[in-house]
Amino acid sequence: MTVREELERQEHGRLNPLASFADQSKGRPRPEAEREEDVRTCYQRDIDRIVHSKSFRRLMHKTQVFLRPEGDHYRTRMTHTLEVMRIAGTISRALGLNEDLAEAIAMGHDLGHTPFGHAGEDALSKCLGKPFRHNEQSLRVVDLLERDGAGLNLTHEVRDGILCHTGDPWPSTLEGMVVRRSDQIAYVNHDIDDAIRAGILSNDDIPASISCVLGQTHSQRINTLVCDAIRASREAGAVCLSPVVDQALRDLRSFMFDRVYRNPVAKGEESKAKDMLSRMFEYYVNHPEALPEDFQPQLSFDGMERTVCDYIAGMTDNYAVDKFTQIFIPAGWQVRG
């Protein structure tokens, strides 16, 4: 028996019967010959493929909420992803679900996010004339864009969880539902932390009706939500929160939209970011020869606008600023000789 087979056997002995077992995966878009000496389950292999991908590394330089903040302690898409992964792991472990699957979904769920956060999504939606959705782009990244067009060939369950972590439809696995809920728990709470750091909020600003349910501090809120998710899900046999805590989380999210996500101080630079990406989109559509060499083949089968969108969506914040500067800002004269 190989190590992989032993790990798969152990899953059947310790996981909830409703969990997603690695040896029962619906497989990959393209079949792969499993090596007899393999020491990883299919979901563990997916984790490694995502972690070693270029799109995952770029998350460390992509905006979460605050555009290019001055300070080392603000969240990025990378730190957000790691927080979601840890919350999902804790909930999955307590519910007897497949932690490896939950971790893989969490690690890949935001790979398609644009530079400058949701401002980038808005800009590309306008450029394309239809909604740009980061969950759909995340699936496109792992299916088509990584490995020079070969994709990562992830399992069905991971791909489903990535696509369905937001919007419609809902994930088909309980692990995917855990990640969807963990994403909400993570971003609302760490965005509060960043807003306090930025001087936009104080803990005292959070309505007492919310604090009395979820807690007064960042750690208390996270602990309340995670513990409640475990307790309520065990009782219901489905991934959920209790009605009182669920409503408090909804109220907290609404509060954050009013005070942070639509705050003119926090979002004051977004119009510049949108204009910058829109101008670059127009430039590359009119100058396809300026696209990197590895994007040139894509033009023939995806078309101009889709290829340009993929290129811009994959940019980090700093890279986008550098490319804009290179294209549109005159360089200073340098004496030669």
Side-chain angles (χ1 to χ4, degrees):
M1 179 180 292
T2 66
V3 174
R4 172 178 56 79
E5 290 170 333
E6 174 62 22
L7 291 173
E8 292 169 347
R9 186 193 66 79
Q10 290 175 6
E11 284 186 354
H12 285 277
R14 63 182 174 81
L15 297 184
N16 188 315
L18 298 177
S20 299
F21 296 98
D23 63 355
Q24 296 176 0
S25 169
K26 294 182 179 180
R28 305 179 186 277
R30 299 184 304 280
E32 297 179 0
E34 295 285 349
R35 299 186 303 274
E36 290 187 5
E37 72 276 16
D38 201 348
V39 297
R40 297 167 295 171
T41 69
C42 58
Y43 301 141
Q44 291 170 346
R45 293 178 72 183
D46 283 357
I47 294 170
D48 293 340
R49 291 181 183 189
I50 293 170
V51 168
H52 290 286
S53 69
K54 292 186 291 187
S55 52
F56 182 79
R57 294 194 293 274
R58 290 197 298 267
L59 293 177
M60 68 186 297
H61 297 299
K62 289 197 175 191
T63 288
Q64 176 63 27
V65 172
F66 296 95
L67 272 63
R68 306 180 76 202
E70 294 183 3
D72 295 333
H73 298 146
Y74 289 91
R75 266 71 171 193
T76 65
R77 286 289 163 194
M78 174 72 80
T79 56
H80 163 72
T81 293
L82 296 176
E83 291 184 35
V84 174
M85 183 265 292
R86 290 305 301 151
I87 292 172
T90 297
I91 296 174
S92 295
R93 184 166 53 252
L95 296 179
L97 300 178
N98 197 316
E99 293 176 58
D100 292 329
L101 174 56
E103 182 175 343
I105 296 170
M107 298 297 264
H109 82 285
D110 269 358
L111 293 179
H113 251 296
T114 61
F116 309 115
H118 292 287
E121 282 190 281
D122 293 343
L124 290 181
S125 294
K126 185 176 181 180
C127 291
L128 293 172
K130 60 181 180 180
F132 175 97
R133 297 183 176 94
H134 76 270
N135 57 319
E136 295 174 356
Q137 186 69 12
S138 295
L139 184 61
R140 184 172 173 82
V141 166
V142 300
D143 278 356
L144 300 171
L145 301 181
E146 272 291 338
R147 293 183 178 173
D148 298 322
L152 301 181
N153 201 30
L154 304 181
T155 55
H156 168 84
E157 293 77 14
V158 174
R159 296 171 60 252
D160 171 81
I162 289 173
L163 178 63
C164 301
H165 80 271
T166 186
D168 293 321
W170 281 66
S172 62
T173 66
L174 291 177
E175 290 84 358
M177 294 180 187
V178 167
V179 173
R180 184 173 174 126
R181 180 62 75 181
S182 300
D183 186 31
Q184 298 169 347
I185 293 172
Y187 79 71
V188 168
N189 283 285
H190 64 50
D191 291 351
I192 291 173
D193 198 36
D194 281 356
I196 291 173
R197 180 172 290 106
I200 293 173
L201 282 183
S202 72
N203 250 326
D204 294 336
D205 292 325
I206 300 173
S209 60
I210 297 173
S211 295
C212 70
V213 175
L214 300 182
Q216 301 290 332
T217 67
H218 176 77
S219 61
Q220 288 174 356
R221 287 188 293 268
I222 293 285
N223 187 67
T224 296
L225 287 160
V226 170
C227 291
D228 185 82
I230 293 168
R231 191 163 42 245
S233 298
R234 280 179 168 176
E235 294 173 357
V239 178
C240 62
L241 294 170
S242 66
V244 172
V245 172
D246 187 45
Q247 186 59 54
L249 180 59
R250 291 173 186 269
D251 292 343
L252 182 59
R253 187 171 180 271
S254 296
F255 168 79
M256 289 296 289
F257 269 96
D258 291 340
R259 293 294 300 272
V260 177
Y261 301 143
R262 299 193 186 105
N263 186 299
V265 175
K267 300 299 180 181
E269 298 296 300
E270 283 197 352
S271 61
K272 298 178 184 178
K274 292 178 183 179
D275 180 66
M276 184 174 69
L277 296 185
S278 297
R279 290 180 64 186
M280 283 202 295
F281 186 92
E282 181 180 2
Y283 174 83
Y284 284 113
V285 166
N286 292 323
H287 300 86
E289 71 282 357
L291 288 167
E293 184 177 344
D294 52 341
F295 279 86
Q296 295 295 330
Q298 186 180 338
L299 291 169
S300 62
F301 56 84
D302 270 335
M304 186 72 67
E305 290 192 348
R306 183 69 253 182
T307 302
V308 171
C309 176
D310 287 339
Y311 177 47
I312 292 177
M315 293 180 176
T316 64
D317 296 13
N318 290 338
Y319 183 79
V321 171
D322 289 344
K323 294 305 292 185
F324 182 86
T325 301
Q326 177 185 326
I327 295 168
F328 294 107
I329 307 301
W333 176 259
Q334 293 182 357
V335 177
R336 294 174 174 82

